[in-house]
Amino acid sequence: MVEPGWRGSAEAWLDAAYEIFIESGVDAVRIVPLSKKLKLSRTSFYWFFEDREALLIALLERWRAKNTGNLVKQCECYAESITEAIFNVFDCWLDSSLFDSKFEFAVRSWLPPYARRMRSASRH
């Protein structure tokens, strides 16, 4: 049960955005559906994020920290041999706490069109 007057938290909004993003893609990550999912007013969103774009940037930061960050950490782990070093990297795909493959797929599906739109907008 949500306490009256509770605005949620940045983490709660981000977690809800992550779930919708994984299930339905970036176009489904909208403030009103998120507020309904969290049972909060949509205005409470603005206590934590300036706008939808800021939320999407936070999602990307989460992806970088989890997937890219852990991949880099695994590459830097000590290894006695090249085989052991490769196994360190393989751990990313075997251990979901190190690498979120659903998140990776969702981000990789979203970013190419997003990057093209951003480049196009910056040219005009």
Short mmCIF file of all heavy atoms in Angstrom, two decimals, residues 69-101:
data_model
loop_
_atom_site.label_atom_id
_atom_site.label_comp_id
_atom_site.label_asym_id
_atom_site.label_seq_id
_atom_site.Cartn_x
_atom_site.Cartn_y
_atom_site.Cartn_z
N GLY A 69 29.91 -1.59 -17.35
CA GLY A 69 30.81 -1.55 -16.19
C GLY A 69 31.27 -2.93 -15.76
O GLY A 69 32.46 -3.15 -15.52
N ASN A 70 30.34 -3.87 -15.69
CA ASN A 70 30.72 -5.22 -15.27
C ASN A 70 31.53 -5.96 -16.33
O ASN A 70 32.42 -6.75 -16.00
CB ASN A 70 29.48 -6.04 -14.88
CG ASN A 70 28.96 -5.64 -13.52
OD1 ASN A 70 29.72 -5.21 -12.65
ND2 ASN A 70 27.67 -5.77 -13.33
N LEU A 71 31.25 -5.69 -17.58
CA LEU A 71 32.05 -6.30 -18.64
C LEU A 71 33.50 -5.82 -18.54
O LEU A 71 34.45 -6.61 -18.61
CB LEU A 71 31.45 -5.96 -20.00
CG LEU A 71 32.09 -6.62 -21.21
CD1 LEU A 71 32.05 -8.13 -21.12
CD2 LEU A 71 31.38 -6.16 -22.47
N VAL A 72 33.68 -4.53 -18.33
CA VAL A 72 35.03 -3.97 -18.16
C VAL A 72 35.70 -4.56 -16.92
O VAL A 72 36.86 -4.97 -16.96
CB VAL A 72 34.99 -2.43 -18.11
CG1 VAL A 72 36.34 -1.85 -17.67
CG2 VAL A 72 34.56 -1.87 -19.45
N LYS A 73 34.96 -4.63 -15.81
CA LYS A 73 35.52 -5.21 -14.57
C LYS A 73 35.97 -6.64 -14.78
O LYS A 73 37.03 -7.04 -14.30
CB LYS A 73 34.50 -5.14 -13.43
CG LYS A 73 34.32 -3.78 -12.85
CD LYS A 73 33.25 -3.80 -11.76
CE LYS A 73 32.82 -2.40 -11.43
NZ LYS A 73 31.64 -2.36 -10.57
N GLN A 74 35.15 -7.42 -15.48
CA GLN A 74 35.50 -8.82 -15.73
C GLN A 74 36.74 -8.92 -16.61
O GLN A 74 37.56 -9.82 -16.43
CB GLN A 74 34.34 -9.58 -16.35
CG GLN A 74 33.18 -9.85 -15.41
CD GLN A 74 33.58 -10.62 -14.17
OE1 GLN A 74 33.65 -10.07 -13.07
NE2 GLN A 74 33.87 -11.90 -14.34
N CYS A 75 36.90 -8.01 -17.56
CA CYS A 75 38.09 -7.99 -18.40
C CYS A 75 39.34 -7.65 -17.60
O CYS A 75 40.45 -8.08 -17.94
CB CYS A 75 37.93 -6.98 -19.54
SG CYS A 75 36.77 -7.49 -20.80
N GLU A 76 39.17 -6.87 -16.55
CA GLU A 76 40.30 -6.44 -15.73
C GLU A 76 40.64 -7.43 -14.61
O GLU A 76 41.66 -7.27 -13.94
CB GLU A 76 40.01 -5.06 -15.13
CG GLU A 76 39.94 -3.97 -16.19
CD GLU A 76 39.47 -2.64 -15.64
OE1 GLU A 76 38.85 -2.61 -14.55
OE2 GLU A 76 39.71 -1.63 -16.32
N CYS A 77 39.80 -8.44 -14.40
CA CYS A 77 40.06 -9.42 -13.34
C CYS A 77 41.37 -10.17 -13.62
O CYS A 77 41.70 -10.46 -14.76
CB CYS A 77 38.91 -10.44 -13.26
SG CYS A 77 37.43 -9.81 -12.50
N TYR A 78 42.03 -10.50 -12.53
CA TYR A 78 43.29 -11.26 -12.65
C TYR A 78 43.01 -12.62 -13.29
O TYR A 78 42.01 -13.27 -13.00
CB TYR A 78 43.93 -11.46 -11.27
CG TYR A 78 45.13 -12.35 -11.32
CD1 TYR A 78 46.35 -11.84 -11.76
CD2 TYR A 78 45.05 -13.69 -10.98
CE1 TYR A 78 47.47 -12.66 -11.84
CE2 TYR A 78 46.17 -14.51 -11.06
CZ TYR A 78 47.37 -13.99 -11.48
OH TYR A 78 48.46 -14.80 -11.56
N ALA A 79 43.91 -13.04 -14.15
CA ALA A 79 43.82 -14.36 -14.78
C ALA A 79 45.22 -14.91 -14.99
O ALA A 79 46.13 -14.18 -15.40
CB ALA A 79 43.08 -14.26 -16.11
N GLU A 80 45.38 -16.19 -14.71
CA GLU A 80 46.68 -16.87 -14.89
C GLU A 80 46.97 -17.12 -16.37
O GLU A 80 48.13 -17.24 -16.75
CB GLU A 80 46.68 -18.22 -14.15
CG GLU A 80 46.71 -18.11 -12.65
CD GLU A 80 48.11 -17.83 -12.11
OE1 GLU A 80 49.10 -18.16 -12.78
OE2 GLU A 80 48.19 -17.27 -11.00
N SER A 81 45.92 -17.21 -17.18
CA SER A 81 46.11 -17.53 -18.59
C SER A 81 45.04 -16.82 -19.42
O SER A 81 44.06 -16.30 -18.88
CB SER A 81 45.99 -19.05 -18.81
OG SER A 81 44.65 -19.45 -18.54
N ILE A 82 45.21 -16.84 -20.74
CA ILE A 82 44.22 -16.25 -21.62
C ILE A 82 42.89 -17.00 -21.49
O ILE A 82 41.82 -16.40 -21.55
CB ILE A 82 44.71 -16.20 -23.09
CG1 ILE A 82 43.76 -15.38 -23.96
CG2 ILE A 82 44.86 -17.59 -23.66
CD1 ILE A 82 43.77 -13.92 -23.69
N THR A 83 42.96 -18.29 -21.27
CA THR A 83 41.74 -19.10 -21.10
C THR A 83 40.97 -18.63 -19.87
O THR A 83 39.74 -18.44 -19.93
CB THR A 83 42.09 -20.59 -20.98
OG1 THR A 83 42.83 -20.98 -22.15
CG2 THR A 83 40.85 -21.44 -20.84
N GLU A 84 41.66 -18.43 -18.78
CA GLU A 84 41.01 -17.95 -17.56
C GLU A 84 40.45 -16.54 -17.76
O GLU A 84 39.35 -16.22 -17.28
CB GLU A 84 42.00 -17.96 -16.40
CG GLU A 84 41.35 -17.68 -15.06
CD GLU A 84 42.33 -17.80 -13.89
OE1 GLU A 84 43.39 -18.41 -14.03
OE2 GLU A 84 41.98 -17.25 -12.82
N ALA A 85 41.16 -15.71 -18.51
CA ALA A 85 40.67 -14.36 -18.79
C ALA A 85 39.38 -14.42 -19.60
O ALA A 85 38.43 -13.67 -19.33
CB ALA A 85 41.74 -13.58 -19.55
N ILE A 86 39.34 -15.32 -20.57
CA ILE A 86 38.12 -15.47 -21.37
C ILE A 86 36.97 -15.97 -20.49
O ILE A 86 35.84 -15.50 -20.62
CB ILE A 86 38.37 -16.39 -22.58
CG1 ILE A 86 39.28 -15.66 -23.57
CG2 ILE A 86 37.06 -16.82 -23.24
CD1 ILE A 86 39.79 -16.51 -24.70
N PHE A 87 37.25 -16.89 -19.60
CA PHE A 87 36.21 -17.37 -18.68
C PHE A 87 35.70 -16.23 -17.79
O PHE A 87 34.51 -16.18 -17.47
CB PHE A 87 36.71 -18.53 -17.81
CG PHE A 87 36.81 -19.84 -18.54
CD1 PHE A 87 37.77 -20.77 -18.19
CD2 PHE A 87 35.94 -20.16 -19.59
CE1 PHE A 87 37.86 -21.98 -18.85
CE2 PHE A 87 36.02 -21.36 -20.25
CZ PHE A 87 36.99 -22.29 -19.88
N ASN A 88 36.59 -15.32 -17.40
CA ASN A 88 36.16 -14.17 -16.61
C ASN A 88 35.11 -13.37 -17.38
O ASN A 88 34.10 -12.94 -16.82
CB ASN A 88 37.35 -13.25 -16.28
CG ASN A 88 38.25 -13.82 -15.23
OD1 ASN A 88 37.90 -14.72 -14.48
ND2 ASN A 88 39.47 -13.30 -15.18
N VAL A 89 35.35 -13.16 -18.66
CA VAL A 89 34.40 -12.42 -19.49
C VAL A 89 33.12 -13.23 -19.68
O VAL A 89 32.02 -12.69 -19.60
CB VAL A 89 35.03 -12.04 -20.85
CG1 VAL A 89 34.00 -11.41 -21.77
CG2 VAL A 89 36.20 -11.09 -20.63
N PHE A 90 33.25 -14.53 -19.92
CA PHE A 90 32.07 -15.39 -20.10
C PHE A 90 31.15 -15.35 -18.89
O PHE A 90 29.94 -15.55 -19.03
CB PHE A 90 32.47 -16.83 -20.38
CG PHE A 90 32.92 -17.09 -21.79
CD1 PHE A 90 32.99 -16.09 -22.75
CD2 PHE A 90 33.30 -18.36 -22.16
CE1 PHE A 90 33.41 -16.33 -24.04
CE2 PHE A 90 33.72 -18.63 -23.46
CZ PHE A 90 33.78 -17.62 -24.40
N ASP A 91 31.72 -15.10 -17.71
CA ASP A 91 30.89 -15.00 -16.50
C ASP A 91 29.78 -13.97 -16.66
O ASP A 91 28.70 -14.10 -16.09
CB ASP A 91 31.74 -14.65 -15.27
CG ASP A 91 32.51 -15.83 -14.74
OD1 ASP A 91 32.17 -16.99 -15.10
OD2 ASP A 91 33.45 -15.61 -13.95
N CYS A 92 30.04 -12.95 -17.46
CA CYS A 92 29.02 -11.92 -17.69
C CYS A 92 27.74 -12.53 -18.26
O CYS A 92 26.64 -12.11 -17.90
CB CYS A 92 29.54 -10.84 -18.63
SG CYS A 92 30.77 -9.77 -17.89
N TRP A 93 27.88 -13.47 -19.15
CA TRP A 93 26.71 -14.06 -19.80
C TRP A 93 26.12 -15.23 -19.02
O TRP A 93 25.02 -15.67 -19.29
CB TRP A 93 27.05 -14.46 -21.24
CG TRP A 93 27.29 -13.24 -22.05
CD1 TRP A 93 26.34 -12.43 -22.61
CD2 TRP A 93 28.55 -12.65 -22.35
NE1 TRP A 93 26.95 -11.37 -23.23
CE2 TRP A 93 28.30 -11.48 -23.10
CE3 TRP A 93 29.87 -12.98 -22.07
CZ2 TRP A 93 29.31 -10.65 -23.57
CZ3 TRP A 93 30.88 -12.16 -22.55
CH2 TRP A 93 30.60 -11.01 -23.28
N LEU A 94 26.87 -15.70 -18.04
CA LEU A 94 26.40 -16.81 -17.21
C LEU A 94 25.81 -16.34 -15.88
O LEU A 94 25.06 -17.07 -15.25
CB LEU A 94 27.54 -17.80 -16.95
CG LEU A 94 28.16 -18.43 -18.19
CD1 LEU A 94 29.38 -19.25 -17.82
CD2 LEU A 94 27.14 -19.26 -18.94
N ASP A 95 26.15 -15.14 -15.47
CA ASP A 95 25.73 -14.61 -14.17
C ASP A 95 24.89 -13.35 -14.41
O ASP A 95 25.43 -12.29 -14.75
CB ASP A 95 26.96 -14.30 -13.32
CG ASP A 95 26.63 -13.80 -11.93
OD1 ASP A 95 25.44 -13.48 -11.65
OD2 ASP A 95 27.56 -13.71 -11.12
N SER A 96 23.58 -13.47 -14.24
CA SER A 96 22.69 -12.32 -14.53
C SER A 96 22.91 -11.14 -13.58
O SER A 96 22.45 -10.04 -13.87
CB SER A 96 21.23 -12.77 -14.51
OG SER A 96 20.88 -13.25 -13.23
N SER A 97 23.60 -11.35 -12.47
CA SER A 97 23.90 -10.21 -11.60
C SER A 97 25.01 -9.35 -12.20
O SER A 97 25.18 -8.20 -11.82
CB SER A 97 24.28 -10.68 -10.20
OG SER A 97 25.55 -11.32 -10.21
N LEU A 98 25.77 -9.91 -13.15
CA LEU A 98 26.83 -9.16 -13.81
C LEU A 98 26.37 -8.49 -15.11
O LEU A 98 26.86 -7.42 -15.47
CB LEU A 98 28.01 -10.09 -14.15
CG LEU A 98 28.79 -10.67 -12.98
CD1 LEU A 98 29.84 -11.65 -13.49
CD2 LEU A 98 29.45 -9.56 -12.17
N PHE A 99 25.47 -9.14 -15.82
CA PHE A 99 25.09 -8.67 -17.14
C PHE A 99 23.62 -9.01 -17.37
O PHE A 99 23.21 -10.16 -17.23
CB PHE A 99 25.97 -9.37 -18.19
CG PHE A 99 25.85 -8.80 -19.57
CD1 PHE A 99 26.64 -7.75 -19.97
CD2 PHE A 99 24.95 -9.33 -20.48
CE1 PHE A 99 26.56 -7.24 -21.26
CE2 PHE A 99 24.85 -8.83 -21.76
CZ PHE A 99 25.66 -7.78 -22.15
N ASP A 100 22.84 -8.02 -17.72
CA ASP A 100 21.40 -8.18 -17.94
C ASP A 100 21.16 -8.24 -19.45
O ASP A 100 21.11 -7.21 -20.12
CB ASP A 100 20.66 -7.01 -17.30
CG ASP A 100 19.16 -7.12 -17.35
OD1 ASP A 100 18.64 -7.80 -18.26
OD2 ASP A 100 18.50 -6.50 -16.50
N SER A 101 21.02 -9.45 -19.99
CA SER A 101 20.90 -9.60 -21.44
C SER A 101 19.60 -9.00 -21.99
O SER A 101 19.59 -8.47 -23.11
CB SER A 101 21.04 -11.07 -21.85
OG SER A 101 20.05 -11.84 -21.22
#
